[in-house]
């Protein structure tokens, strides 16, 4: 029973994590666009933008998460070599810095498309 309960809780936590991972990006984009941290907590302002482009936010999240998992797997394989084991931390720092920049741009684009769709309707 405890094993089943643990798996059920793990599944629930994964589901909540995925949903919050998608939703939080809209709040972050809204706070950045308004240049006010508190704007991210004003659900009434950014929720319609999120709903207007829900598919865009989900697609961006899936792409960013999928690419992150693939790159993480590649880095783990490269860690198994003696020479690259010393270079990988430097390469990872550079790559994930750039990856964070690119993923932020993708989410900002989804936010902008949501604003445009909301204004059009």
């Amino acid at each position: 029973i405890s094993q089943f309960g643990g798996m059920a809780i793990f599944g629930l936590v994964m589901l909540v994590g995925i949903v919050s991972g998608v939703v939080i990006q809209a709040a972050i984009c809204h706070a950045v666009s308004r240049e006010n941290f508190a704007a991210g907590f004003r659900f009434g302002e950014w929720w319609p933008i999120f709903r207007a482009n829900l598919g865009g936010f989900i697609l961006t999240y899936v792409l960013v998460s999928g690419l992150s998992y693939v790159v993480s797997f590649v880095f783990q394989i490269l860690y198994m070599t003696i020479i690259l084991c010393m270079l990988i931390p430097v390469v990872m720092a550079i790559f994930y810095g750039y990856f964070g920049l690119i993923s932020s741009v993708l989410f900002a684009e989804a936010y902008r498309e949501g604003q445009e769709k909301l204004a059009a309707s």
Side-chain angles (χ1 to χ4, degrees):
I1 293 175
S2 66
Q3 190 174 21
F4 176 72
M7 290 301 291
I9 290 173
F10 178 74
L12 182 65
V13 168
M14 289 289 292
L15 181 64
V16 169
I18 290 171
V19 170
S20 66
V22 173
V23 172
I24 196 75
Q25 296 302 325
I28 291 171
C29 289
H30 187 70
V32 170
S33 71
R34 298 291 187 260
E35 296 181 0
N36 184 2
F37 179 74
F41 296 100
R42 291 187 221 125
F43 298 102
E45 292 178 7
W46 60 262
W47 187 258
I49 297 169
F50 175 72
R51 281 191 21 207
N53 194 22
L54 179 62
F57 279 102
I58 291 173
L59 178 65
T60 303
Y61 182 79
V62 168
L63 288 174
V64 167
S65 296
L67 186 59
S68 177
Y69 291 135
V70 168
V71 169
S72 179
F73 181 71
V74 169
F75 280 140
Q76 288 178 1
I77 290 174
L78 293 177
Y79 259 127
M80 295 179 191
T81 63
I82 294 172
I83 302 296
L84 290 178
C85 190
M86 293 178 222
L87 297 175
I88 289 293
V90 175
V91 173
M92 280 179 65
I94 294 169
F95 176 79
Y96 278 115
Y98 183 69
F99 185 71
L101 179 67
I102 295 300
S103 64
S104 297
V105 169
L106 290 174
F107 279 112
E109 183 67 25
Y111 180 82
R112 186 183 61 78
E113 287 178 12
Q115 283 181 321
E116 290 174 356
K117 287 181 182 178
L118 189 63
S121 63

